[in-house]
Each structure stands twice: as C-alpha cells, then as structure tokens.
Amino acid sequence: MLKIGTKCPDFSLPDQNGKIHSNKDLEGKTIIYFYPKDSTSGCTKQAVSYSEHASEFASLGYKIIGISKDSVASHKKFEEKFDLKITLLSDTEKSAISLFDVWKEKKLYGKTNFGVVRTTYIIDENGVVVFANDKVKAAEDADFMLNLIQKA
C-alpha cells in the first residue's frame, strides 16, 4: 500500500468504453479503489454503492475510479448489468495494481495465492495520496469514504 504523502504513480489504462485514462488527466480530487473481480458479491456491492453516491462525491469535487485486472469487455458488462455511474479501469497487465502496491499474497480457505487486496486511496488535486486504506469492507466503503471527506 502506498504511504500518505506519496505522489500518485504514473498509469495509463482503458476504461469500460476503451477510453484511455492516466494519472496526468486527473483534475481535482479522486478516489481510486482497487477491487478483485467484476460481478462478484463484494465487488458488486462496492461498485453499486459508489455509483449510488456518485453525485454526492461529485458535489464535493471527487471523481470515483475503480481498478481491477478484468478486461474492458468485462467492465462494460459489469457497468451495464448494474447501471454503474463510475469509471472502471482495466489493468490486465497489473501495471497500476503493482505501482499502487495492492498485489499481495492472500490466504483463502487455507490456500495461499496472489491477488488484489481491496484498497482505497484518496488522491488530492496535486496528485498526492492523502488517505490510504487496505482494510476495506466492500459494502461499507463508499459510505465510509463519503463520511470521511464530508468531515474533512
């Protein structure tokens, strides 16, 4: 996980429509969250919740970007199936996933493997990490982040 005060790493990734986004294009404040897989239970709850609160985040000056290693086509299906209102970036090569240090060893049902650790970052208008959380509860993440920035 990146430390607070770290400059946002350089990345360039396609969204669910194939449009390329990079950290250099970020204007204003951004919440970037990394998640394991489209259309799984926790990831769906997290994306739907962010989508439901998208206008509230926007009114506070925040954009929402979700990143996983799923393909552009997978993201498009995910967006359409759940009517998502957020940007989903495809990182099939795990470039941003590695740069943001969210590819970790995980244990599940006694088996050890590597995967994306659900992690949420707030990037300020200067491109600096001002908040980082790798103990994310998927269904509560959007509400948690909204409350956090409203109190700031």
Side-chain angles (χ1 to χ4, degrees):
M1 181 171 71
L2 297 178
K3 293 185 184 328
I4 293 171
T6 303
K7 190 81 170 157
C8 179
D10 289 339
F11 66 86
S12 184
L13 300 169
D15 68 13
Q16 65 266 38
N17 298 306
K19 180 182 174 192
I20 301 297
H21 295 260
S22 90
N23 61 299
K24 294 177 175 96
D25 300 329
L26 298 178
E27 297 173 6
K29 298 173 263 189
T30 308
I31 293 173
I32 298 177
Y33 77 93
F34 289 85
Y35 65 99
K37 189 160 179 53
D38 291 342
S39 297
T40 57
S41 177
C43 297
T44 298
K45 288 175 186 171
Q46 187 176 25
V48 167
S49 185
Y50 270 117
S51 188
E52 288 171 347
H53 293 299
S55 62
E56 292 171 80
F57 282 108
S59 72
L60 295 166
Y62 286 84
K63 293 180 189 125
I64 308 297
I65 296 175
I67 302 176
S68 81
K69 61 183 183 64
D70 293 303
S71 68
V72 168
S74 176
H75 281 347
K76 189 63 181 174
K77 286 180 193 172
F78 190 37
E79 173 196 43
E80 290 174 349
K81 183 176 182 179
F82 296 101
D83 193 28
L84 301 177
K85 310 280 189 261
I86 58 176
T87 300
L88 301 173
L89 300 184
S90 173
D91 190 9
T92 57
E93 301 296 315
K94 299 188 290 279
S95 57
I97 287 168
S98 296
L99 290 169
F100 279 82
D101 195 27
V102 298
W103 188 255
K104 302 282 186 183
E105 186 176 277
K106 298 165 65 172
K107 291 184 181 179
L108 183 64
Y109 306 117
K111 292 183 180 181
T112 302
N113 57 27
F114 280 84
V116 172
V117 173
R118 195 180 306 276
T119 306
T120 304
Y121 293 99
I122 296 177
I123 311 296
D124 73 7
E125 59 277 358
N126 299 311
V128 174
V129 175
V130 295
F131 179 81
N133 180 19
D134 65 353
K135 305 288 188 236
V136 175
K137 294 181 180 173
E140 300 169 15
D141 192 37
D143 289 326
F144 175 81
M145 297 303 290
L146 191 57
N147 288 332
L148 182 73
I149 62 177
Q150 286 173 333
K151 291 178 183 175

